[in-house]
Amino acid sequence: MEESPRAIFAGDLRIDGVKEMLDRWCQRASRSRLPSFIRLSKTIRTQKRRYPRPIRLGVSNGRVEGLDA
């Protein structure tokens, strides 16, 4: 479940596809009974109006996360 959102930044999905993928992921996360996934799905749902911008611009914090040791 933690790997599936990576496809969003692969660059081959349109904004509509990204929204659909995140909605499905949030549904699964909410039913997972894992507190961290439930909390993340709530955050994604509250920030829903903001997802198109970083996807369209190809912005990710992957480099920063990769340096965090």
Side-chain angles (χ1 to χ4, degrees):
M1 228 170 112
E2 65 187 59
E3 296 294 323
S4 57
R6 289 178 192 246
I8 293 168
F9 288 101
D12 57 345
L13 292 176
R14 294 185 350 195
I15 298 299
D16 295 337
V18 169
K19 289 180 180 180
E20 183 181 329
M21 177 182 268
L22 282 175
D23 286 341
R24 281 188 277 142
W25 186 88
C26 285
Q27 289 172 355
R28 286 193 322 245
S30 295
R31 292 189 303 256
S32 72
R33 299 184 187 173
L34 298 169
S36 57
F37 284 141
I38 293 169
R39 194 170 47 250
L40 178 58
S41 71
K42 287 179 183 179
T43 301
I44 290 171
R45 285 179 175 153
T46 60
Q47 300 296 320
K48 198 174 194 174
R49 64 184 174 81
R50 295 183 181 187
Y51 350 126
R53 283 182 283 184
I55 303 304
R56 195 172 333 126
L57 297 173
V59 177
S60 170
N61 68 341
R63 286 187 174 175
V64 174
E65 292 293 329
L67 294 174
D68 190 20

